Amino acid sequence: MTELPFRNSRESVSSLLASLEALLLEKGRVSSEEACRLLLNAAHVPASLATSILDSALSHDRRFEILEEGFVRLTPSAPIPSAYLEQLDYTVVDLETTGGSALDRVIEVGAVRVEGMRPAREFSALVDPGIPIPAFVSSMTGIRDDMVAGARRFEEIADEFASFVGDSVMVAHNLPFDWGFVNRELARYRGFVLANRRLCTVRIGRKLLAHLPDRRLDTVAAYYGIAIDGRHRALGDARATASILVKYVGELRDLGVRTLEELEGYLAGKPAAEATFNAPLPPQESSSSPASA
């Protein structure tokens, strides 16, 4: 395998490849030049060299596939059998961070595992970000530097958190934000990223609740009568989002949208009536009790 120059002394080949994996999960595929720029931290990589560099660097890593037209993507996984939304396990995640850039860090993790459309377990941890918490973040969240002093770093909770998520469907309100932070931290400290199926409750809300003025967590929670105990704290927001998810699944069921595949078609604008498969509906009771906020 090609020896890749490290961008700093703490990075390893595995974390660089995990960063590439996270990028491909976000974009689907990237050009060989873009992949090489990420791995080599180079402003420019000649196209004539990019494919040969990647072929050498990735040839023994089954996660990646180099396409003939000069792109790289993740190797397609085997299709997952369809399952009703009510029958899936979900992990609803919320993060509090020092800011919104790739240079910022996580200061709190909250997660609710939803099984059988009911909350089953919770995960919550303050995280020492290793950098000062800006005043505006402290004023919004109530989390101060002295509260995270002595808390575990993300690298110390990474394995526990990944085990909690398992192979469930990861859910968040504004998923790209939380998904991006989780995978950057896992790539940085553990050399792997999550590849779970995932849902964004903001995206679903734009379709189901188009009549609302916005799809902010407060707005959607108020619409459903869900109280948020601990707003702008990770576990409080995750609990509220879990309750919203259960409400959404019930409304989607009424529309005839019953699987993740049908949900993707519905969100893409395909009429729900055209996205069905012949199978009996699960009992109505499975979605009758929303998770409590």
Side-chain angles (χ1 to χ4, degrees):
M1 179 179 288
T2 296
E3 292 295 325
L4 300 174
F6 301 157
R7 286 179 291 188
N8 62 58
S9 59
R10 297 185 64 186
E11 286 188 319
S12 65
V13 171
S14 63
S15 65
L16 290 170
L17 293 176
S19 296
L20 176 59
E21 185 179 4
L23 179 66
L24 292 171
L25 281 168
E26 178 183 350
K27 292 189 172 183
R29 69 174 190 174
V30 298
S31 68
S32 298
E33 297 96 305
E34 183 176 356
C36 282
R37 288 198 301 270
L38 171 67
L39 293 177
L40 304 178
N41 193 27
H44 175 70
V45 177
S48 58
L49 295 177
T51 300
S52 61
I53 292 173
L54 282 184
D55 184 60
S56 176
L58 306 180
S59 60
H60 300 296
D61 196 322
R62 295 183 179 180
R63 290 175 294 175
F64 305 100
E65 181 180 21
I66 301 173
L67 306 178
E68 292 183 359
E69 56 267 35
F71 288 87
V72 59
R73 69 176 183 182
L74 294 176
T75 302
S77 56
I80 300 173
S82 294
Y84 289 115
L85 293 171
E86 292 98 330
Q87 297 170 335
L88 295 170
D89 292 339
Y90 302 90
T91 301
V92 184
V93 176
D94 186 83
L95 306 178
E96 302 301 333
T97 68
T98 58
S101 78
L103 299 176
D104 284 298
R105 293 291 184 266
V106 174
I107 60 175
E108 189 176 37
V109 179
V112 178
R113 186 66 177 250
V114 176
E115 300 172 357
M117 301 317 299
R118 291 177 173 83
R121 292 175 284 140
E122 295 182 341
F123 178 94
S124 179
L126 284 170
V127 180
D128 181 356
I131 59 176
I133 300 174
F136 81 92
V137 172
S138 291
S139 64
M140 179 175 64
T141 65
I143 302 173
R144 305 179 306 274
D145 288 325
D146 62 296
M147 294 172 61
V148 298
R152 293 180 292 174
R153 297 291 186 96
F154 194 93
E155 59 189 302
E156 297 175 276
I157 70 166
D159 293 334
E160 184 182 354
F161 174 74
S163 177
F164 184 86
V165 175
D167 61 358
S168 65
V169 179
M170 182 169 159
V171 180
H173 201 71
N174 189 21
L175 177 79
F177 178 88
D178 300 273
W179 181 257
F181 264 98
V182 164
N183 274 340
R184 279 195 296 271
E185 296 282 31
L186 289 175
R188 181 180 296 115
Y189 295 120
R190 284 295 179 265
F192 68 86
V193 295
L194 299 179
N196 299 54
R197 293 173 292 176
R198 47 203 182 272
L199 291 175
C200 176
T201 50
V202 171
R203 186 180 176 216
I204 298 172
R206 290 194 184 111
K207 187 76 172 181
L208 279 179
L209 305 177
H211 56 286
L212 295 183
D214 58 66
R215 260 59 57 187
R216 293 185 302 112
L217 187 63
D218 300 278
T219 303
V220 178
Y223 174 77
Y224 286 121
I226 296 168
I228 306 179
D229 182 12
R231 181 70 173 107
H232 295 302
R233 292 300 298 266
L235 187 57
D237 287 355
R239 286 170 174 165
T241 304
S243 297
I244 290 168
L245 172 68
V246 175
K247 292 288 189 180
Y248 282 172
V249 170
E251 293 198 18
L252 290 165
R253 177 196 176 103
D254 292 341
L255 293 172
V257 178
R258 296 170 290 174
T259 69
L260 284 177
E261 294 78 8
E262 292 173 0
L263 177 54
E264 280 302 318
Y266 173 69
L267 295 176
K270 187 175 183 180
E274 296 181 13
T276 60
F277 66 96
N278 295 320
L281 285 171
Q284 182 67 39
E285 300 81 67
S286 61
S287 61
S288 60
S289 300
S292 59

